[in-house]
Amino acid sequence: LGSMQTSGSKLCSCPSFKLREVASMYFTMIAVFLVILVVALQGSGPRRSDFPYKVPLDPQGLLELSWNVSYPEQAVNFQLLIRNLQFGLLFGMSDRGEFENADLAVLWSDGTNSYFGDAWSDAEGQLHMDSQQDYQLLGARRAPEGLYLLFRRAFSTCDPKDYLIEDGTVHLIYGILEKPVHSLQAINLSAIHGGLQRVQLLKPNITIPELPSDMKTMEIRAPDVVIPSQETTYWCYMVELPQGFPKHHIIMYEPVITAGNEALVHHMEVFQCAAEFDSFPPYNGPCDSKMKPDRLNYCKHVLAAWAMGAQAFYYPEEAGVAFGGPGSSRYLRLEVHYHNPLVFKGRHDSSGIRLYYTATLRRHDAGIMELGLVYTPVMAIPPGEDAFALTGYCTDKCTQLALPAAGIRIFASQLHTHLAGRKVVTVLSREGRERQVVNSDGHYSPHFQEIRMLKEVVAVFPGDELITTCTYNTQNRSQATVGGFSILEEMCVNYVHYYPQTQLELCKSAVDPGYLRRYFNLVNRFNDEEVCMCPQVSVPQQFDSVPWNAFNRDVLKSLYGFAPISMHCNKSSAVRFPVRTASLPRLPNKTPSCR
């Protein structure tokens, strides 16, 4: 059934009787259609291959979302499995997972009839019928495991009340109706059982490379973990490779989730330990435990990363990640994040990541390069900011010195900030002009970080610039947030995965510290409260004493936008390439057009 288009404004701003009447007829038609479908389509559920991406929406696994992406039609096809349907549900999207200002598909029942329609919520959380029905109901199917609801949404609808589906993170929200309701407007969003799930809806359409015949597998799994009865747990487990394990290439990896725990295993990572240590102690326990050996903190080199909703990760046929052999540590650390909001007790888990590797080395070793900002307190975000942007540069001078003449190819990316991060984007600039977006996430969440394959491989040549901008929200903070390693400090990083591997491991920047001292001097000239310029006072302490009026905020923004930068162009040995301080203009912002 296609969606029914209606003219006129939204119901809340232009309460037209005709619109209400037409919409009422539409919902009644949906009710009849839905009943007919459920009766007519009894049988087994849809084929799994039709909807390759899957994620549980709720911790109990009562709602399971599957989907596929049609790039030619610029639309997402959804399949929602409802295992225990009561009187309806809400499913939709919002900026950060709120039920206010949300774009929703609603299925509800008054006890006699069932209805389906496109709705939106206002800033107070009140539901409204959408005059432009863009969630298209495709069908419903009853199966032994529950009711399958099939519907579709275009990426962009040009409806101001609809969510624009873009690359990057999407905050999906759901709500379960446990009692009948007589109308859409009678649904009280604040009283329903609901939650959110983060996914990347627009998966790249990538051709899976042919895998070699000598491929082997290795499962990195923590054995029989009893998931702690608390909302959040990070579990660490050490693995040792066999003595004399030769160099191999990892060419693929995928998650291995214990059956029944799909809604609890939030994300997982496998880290390789530092090669300068001959051995690492065994460990199997919480990552924040006082019993965890300190040496495990030197296991930071990412080999594999998975987050809920992600599928198997394939490396390009030209490259693989090297592990084993001379100069490579035999020790790996598995880290599993359990999200247990219902505080289940006694749940056992042996989830992990399965590595696919080969002794037949591919043409190139894949490498990882850090882009963005140096971890330094000279980069700071004032308190009370809604959207404060900081930019880190990998300059043309650094790529000119460090990259081979044929360039490198970026095929995947993992964005990273701490708790205040809201948006991250990296762009490729050539000869002062933006040429390509490497990776962008306009709804970034620090609670959902995964290595994402890029839709297109990005070629970077000597003399190119890679510019990474992070946007932060500090509205709930009373003091400045400085750059650093603490979770309450901030980072702005893009770990790009590329080939062929080079000596360049870190290409980041920060504002020249001398210009920050000029900023503090300026604050002292125009404010009654003085920032101490004494050598013994740290930069974070100086930021804490700044009175954050509009003038001081604007001057800091200008400083970060136009002051010279200190460039860190580092080899894996931490030795820097000889790159001096540079000054860079910002590239103009682009706004997406509505097709």
Side-chain angles (χ1 to χ4, degrees), residues 417-420 477 484-490:
T417 75
H418 285 172
L419 299 180
R477 300 189 180 187
F485 291 94
S486 163
I487 193 65
L488 293 179
E489 296 173 332
E490 267 308 331

Side-chain angles (χ1 to χ4, degrees), residues 367-382:
I368 300 175
M369 186 191 307
E370 285 190 43
L371 307 176
L373 288 171
V374 180
Y375 309 134
T376 170
V378 303
M379 306 300 297
I381 306 116

Side-chain angles (χ1 to χ4, degrees), residues 292-314:
K292 188 189 80 170
D294 290 340
R295 186 167 287 191
L296 270 61
N297 295 327
Y298 292 90
C299 303
K300 294 183 177 181
H301 179 70
V302 178
L303 286 183
W306 172 90
M308 190 179 285
Q311 301 299 109
F313 185 95
Y314 294 87

Side-chain angles (χ1 to χ4, degrees), residues 368-371 393-405 408 462 498 500-509 565-582:
I368 300 175
M369 186 191 307
E370 285 190 43
L371 307 176
Y393 298 91
C394 177
T395 65
D396 54 346
K397 294 180 177 61
C398 181
T399 61
Q400 190 73 55
L401 281 173
L403 298 189
I408 61 172
Y498 72 97
Q501 187 176 31
T502 70
Q503 292 188 69
L504 181 60
E505 190 167 278
L506 184 149
C507 192
K508 304 162 83 172
S509 72
I565 59 172
S566 173
M567 190 64 220
H568 290 236
C569 184
N570 294 9
K571 300 179 182 181
S572 55
S573 60
V575 175
R576 291 192 191 182
F577 288 93
V579 177
R580 299 178 180 178
T581 298

